[in-house]
Amino acid sequence: MYRMKRTAADAALTRQTIIRAALRRFACDGWENCSLGDVARDAEVTRGAIYHHFAGKLDLLLAVLADRWEFYTCEFFAPRDAEGDAKAYAEGNGEGEPEAGTCAQHNGEAVDGDSAGDASAPEAGGAERYAVAKSSGADRVTDFLATYLEHLVTDTGFRELAVVSTLVAPRALQADQGMDEKRSGIALWGEYIDTALRDCGDALRLPLEASRFTIMSFIHGVTVSAALQPKDLAEPQGTRGIAEAIVHGLMSAD
């Protein structure tokens, strides 16, 4: 009997299906109660297929964390980066989500490129420069926070990732094991936020490091809240206002 040869694309799709099913099961069942049999059932694959792609339950958890944080990092930043990076993100797999490892992540230079087109513009006066810097940098941070909050409120997959990252992973992972991907993603967020805050210049009420700490503390706090008390999250229409209030509090009233 003729058997169809599985392609690399088929294998990648199966791997992605398993990861998504595992995210749901880890979030719903926790580390101890999640079984690979349940993951296989939800993914509509065999246990053998899971072991073909992953060494075991811990390896699958690490893959879930790495894959989903990479995807959402793209989701939060690519549409706001330079046009080329945003285009690469949009063309990731033809359906709005980049394949694993193909994310067009910014590296700081892409963010700076947002304003590259203004290089030939006449230099503004002091007050005007202050207003432009305050607007451009503050708006970018506000966009990021609003998008992050909106995903926590409306995106079940992102709330599941919040649960797995804050409640499940610490029970499964020793000290620093397996968290490098998440840390690198958070470091990327810090670089993006730093770049935007520098654009605010003297408009910042606090030093840059304290301003970044304030924003990152809010992100960590709201993520834990989404995992522990999701019913307390704001309504979708309120996420932008919350983001604006956070950023406004960092800005000088002058």
Side-chain angles (χ1 to χ4, degrees), residues 56-246:
K57 186 174 169 180
L58 179 58
D59 188 42
L60 178 55
L61 173 63
L62 298 179
V64 167
L65 293 172
D67 181 275
R68 293 292 84 195
W69 278 114
E70 179 185 5
F71 168 66
Y72 281 107
T73 297
C74 293
E75 188 87 346
F76 298 145
F77 293 120
R80 294 160 189 76
D81 286 345
E83 181 178 352
D85 283 347
K87 184 173 184 291
Y89 161 82
E91 295 176 350
N93 67 357
E95 296 182 358
E97 178 172 343
E99 296 176 2
T102 64
C103 170
Q105 295 181 348
H106 86 83
N107 60 5
E109 296 177 359
V111 173
D112 292 339
D114 288 346
S115 57
D118 297 331
S120 61
E123 184 175 358
E128 185 177 348
R129 283 201 307 273
Y130 177 90
V132 170
K134 183 173 180 179
S135 173
S136 62
D139 285 351
R140 296 215 311 266
V141 177
T142 301
D143 286 345
F144 164 61
L145 290 179
T147 301
Y148 192 95
L149 279 170
E150 184 177 355
H151 274 72
L152 281 176
V153 173
T154 64
D155 186 334
T156 301
F158 191 50
R159 286 198 304 276
E160 290 172 344
L161 181 58
V163 171
V164 173
S165 298
T166 60
L167 303 180
V168 178
R171 297 186 65 85
L173 306 177
Q174 296 178 355
D176 294 332
Q177 182 183 11
M179 300 306 287
D180 290 344
E181 294 85 355
K182 183 181 177 183
R183 288 196 183 94
S184 64
I186 292 175
L188 175 66
W189 299 1
E191 292 171 11
Y192 179 93
I193 291 169
D194 278 356
T195 302
L197 291 175
R198 287 190 189 98
D199 286 348
C200 296
D202 294 338
L204 284 177
R205 186 191 303 268
L206 300 172
L208 185 144
E209 293 78 9
S211 298
R212 185 210 314 124
F213 175 78
T214 300
I215 293 170
M216 297 303 291
S217 296
F218 171 75
I219 291 170
H220 288 304
V222 75
T223 303
V224 173
S225 295
L228 295 176
Q229 297 175 301
K231 292 182 179 179
D232 290 345
L233 290 172
E235 295 295 324
Q237 61 269 24
T239 56
R240 181 81 190 181
I242 293 172
E244 289 174 346
I246 295 294

